[in-house]
Amino acid sequence: VVLQDTQALLGGDILIRSNYPIPEKLQSKLDRLKQEGSAQSARIFEFLSMVRSPLNDTSLLTMIKVVSNHYPLYGTATLASGRSFQQTLAPGHVIVEKALLDRLTLKVGDRLQVGSIAMTIADVVTAEPDRPVTVFALGPRVFVHADDLDRVDLVGPGRRVRYKRYLKLADPSILTATQTQLKQDLSPDVTVDTFRTAPSRIK
């Protein structure tokens, strides 16, 4: 039963991970797959950052997760309001975990300073399909729309960022061939895994 849900647990059919921006050659291959209609993709940027409450000037270390429009490709990111995640997370808004509201004494509708801009708290996330199963976390999640990535000004040289690309293939039979194609001429710091090969304690 668990193996049937590995696509949701991984976040896609294929997951590309790097501690550096995606290489141009690999990005060209991803663009080609999208243009051909062979794959749908979602971009993810994850990093630790302090956020601040403008109401009481308190700060908190959080895990920022910047996501593009198609996130999540598999599974469902559940919100406390019951609304659609993709429709709720819009530019200028954030979705947070309840722990952040509790620790900063905030509520939905309040403002939260993330990097260079203050954004409105739109909702509370209660579950995300691709989150690792672990008890320990350095800080509560804060979801930011990819269109706000440049505005928050938190990603750049010298910043510790995890770059991810999720792919959902139109034809599952090309899974291995697509993985092989994407892995060609890559440096060791870029990994290309499929939902069948990715290391997972759950599996």
Side-chain angles (χ1 to χ4, degrees):
V1 172
V2 173
L3 285 174
Q4 292 174 356
D5 291 332
T6 51
Q7 287 159 309
L9 293 170
L10 183 70
D13 294 317
I14 294 176
L15 171 58
I16 300 165
R17 286 175 283 200
S18 175
N19 291 324
Y20 303 95
I22 300 298
E24 290 185 10
K25 184 178 292 186
L26 177 56
Q27 185 60 54
S28 296
K29 294 179 182 179
L30 297 176
D31 292 340
R32 192 179 310 118
L33 286 172
K34 183 178 178 181
Q35 291 168 1
E36 294 171 351
S38 301
Q40 192 176 30
S41 68
R43 295 180 301 151
I44 308 290
F45 307 83
E46 290 182 325
F47 51 90
L48 291 169
S49 179
M50 300 295 292
V51 298
R52 184 175 60 84
S53 165
L55 289 177
N56 48 38
D57 202 30
T58 54
S59 300
L60 179 66
L61 180 65
T62 63
M63 174 59 76
I64 306 292
K65 187 168 182 175
V66 182
V67 301
S68 61
N69 285 328
H70 297 299
Y71 174 86
L73 294 174
Y74 284 102
T76 303
T78 308
L79 302 183
S81 67
R83 294 184 296 173
S84 163
F85 180 93
Q86 294 176 342
Q87 294 178 0
T88 303
L89 185 63
H93 296 75
V94 292
I95 294 175
V96 303
E97 285 190 287
K98 186 177 183 298
L100 181 141
L101 301 183
D102 295 339
R103 295 172 67 177
L104 293 181
T105 320
L106 294 173
K107 63 182 183 301
V108 173
D110 286 341
R111 303 284 280 176
L112 183 70
Q113 186 75 29
V114 181
S116 300
I117 61 174
M119 293 187 277
T120 302
I121 300 174
D123 215 320
V124 175
V125 63
T126 57
E128 53 187 294
D130 58 324
R131 181 165 185 171
V133 178
T134 177
V135 175
F136 179 73
L138 288 174
R141 283 279 207 275
V142 176
F143 286 87
V144 176
H145 194 283
D147 287 352
D148 286 326
L149 182 62
D150 292 336
R151 295 176 62 215
V152 298
D153 194 26
L154 291 173
V155 173
R159 305 285 176 88
R160 188 176 178 85
V161 179
R162 190 68 163 161
Y163 298 82
K164 296 181 180 181
R165 294 293 186 276
Y166 294 102
L167 296 181
K168 181 178 183 179
L169 301 179
D171 180 4
S173 68
I174 66 171
L175 178 68
T176 302
T178 302
Q179 179 193 24
T180 301
Q181 177 191 12
L182 294 176
K183 289 176 69 173
Q184 290 178 352
D185 303 320
L186 284 183
S187 60
D189 57 287
V190 183
T191 62
V192 181
D193 289 309
T194 73
F195 73 95
R196 296 187 184 278
T197 64
S200 167
R201 289 198 303 262
I202 299 173
K203 286 193 288 183

